[in-house]
Amino acid sequence: MAGRGVGRALLGSGLLAVTLLGGAGGYGLGLATTGQQASAGTAAAPLAGASVSTTPSTTPSTPPRKLKQDNSDPLQADEIRYRTRVFYVTSVVRSQVSVRVPSNWEMTLLDPPKDMKFNEPERRRAVRIQGGFKITRPPEDSMKARIAQFKALAADKMVTVLTHEVDPATKNATLTYNYADPENNTLKLGMIRWVADDEGLCMLEIAVTGLPQDKSALADILDHASESATRSDEPLN
């Protein structure tokens, strides 16, 4: 069994403008999955397996668009009720994952089946959990690979990294960013945490998305998920 309780991540304050390819099929930009290697495998790769480059993309882009503002009431952390959900995700191995998430959010296995997604009823917020990859590298390396991936893509995707930090106690890495939701052209907030196992290697990628005004509640959801998460693997054959 790979898993342990982990503490609240310490978020840094370095500001970095980066870009990310828009999501599709209900993922949303903040939940767009990439190749398995880009998340927690042995080599980072943007999207369909190309090599990571730290050189900014020369892909032609259009000027940033004006986003609509979603003034919905913020999600309140003290109003969220949690329950433990157990599920399987599959990539190079089959992972059984146990995690605490908001109790009334709908669970959907994505395609490919390496990610489980939980959508709130109003579908403004979501949690995505990825497993099934080989546990081979520290969470910090996975976070650096994602930032390099962002930097390599076109500048019109309007993603801005707000904080990126590694918790020295747990070795968890957390990335916080804003992005333009391609489905409704509104500003969204995303947080990704790469959760370390007892050996300090990345065992799960957990992402939450919502509105900018949901920041405190999204952090609470991310903490509940990462602090409760466990993973056990079995071979595919």
Side-chain angles (χ1 to χ4, degrees):
M1 177 76 70
R4 65 176 181 179
V6 291
R8 185 177 298 269
L10 304 174
L11 298 182
S13 59
L15 184 64
L16 172 65
V18 294
T19 58
L20 174 65
L21 188 65
Y27 282 56
L29 199 70
L31 298 178
T33 55
T34 59
Q36 177 266 330
Q37 291 180 323
S39 294
T42 57
L47 301 182
S51 315
V52 166
S53 171
T54 57
T55 304
S57 172
T58 56
T59 304
S61 61
T62 58
R65 58 194 180 278
K66 185 175 181 179
L67 300 178
K68 298 180 293 183
Q69 187 170 353
D70 188 329
N71 293 316
S72 301
D73 291 338
L75 191 64
Q76 300 296 329
D78 60 1
E79 296 178 358
I80 301 172
R81 299 294 176 264
Y82 292 90
R83 65 167 166 155
T84 299
R85 306 296 297 268
V86 179
F87 54 87
Y88 290 90
V89 286
T90 304
S91 181
V92 296
V93 296
R94 187 172 186 252
S95 299
Q96 183 188 69
V97 178
S98 175
V99 65
R100 288 183 65 78
V101 293
S103 61
N104 64 333
W105 289 20
E106 178 187 5
M107 184 169 71
T108 303
L109 183 64
L110 301 181
D111 184 15
K114 61 185 177 181
D115 296 89
M116 186 67 74
K117 185 177 179 183
F118 297 87
N119 283 304
E120 70 150 353
E122 294 181 357
R123 294 189 174 269
R124 289 188 175 91
R125 298 102 181 171
V127 180
R128 174 184 57 82
I129 301 171
Q130 183 178 108
F133 50 78
K134 292 182 179 179
I135 300 176
T136 59
R137 70 182 185 183
E140 182 176 11
D141 290 354
S142 294
M143 182 175 67
K144 288 179 178 178
R146 184 59 54 85
I147 292 174
Q149 181 187 22
F150 287 176
K151 291 172 69 175
L153 299 175
D156 63 337
K157 306 306 177 182
M158 299 181 66
V159 177
T160 301
V161 170
L162 304 174
T163 62
H164 52 93
E165 188 55 77
V166 178
D167 186 318
T170 65
K171 307 304 181 185
N172 292 346
T174 306
L175 180 67
T176 305
Y177 58 99
N178 285 330
Y179 67 97
D181 189 331
E183 295 183 359
N184 54 29
N185 203 41
T186 57
L187 183 68
K188 300 292 286 289
L189 177 69
M191 299 179 180
I192 305 174
R193 181 168 296 162
W194 291 269
V195 181
D197 65 7
D198 292 331
E199 304 300 321
L201 299 177
C202 181
M203 68 169 186
L204 289 171
E205 177 183 298
I206 301 177
V208 297
T209 56
L211 305 176
Q213 57 266 38
D214 297 330
K215 184 176 181 180
S216 294
L218 294 178
D220 189 70
I221 293 170
L222 188 59
D223 285 343
H224 273 80
S226 60
E227 289 170 6
S228 63
T230 65
R231 167 182 163 173
S232 60
D233 292 345
E234 58 186 42
L236 296 182
N237 297 320

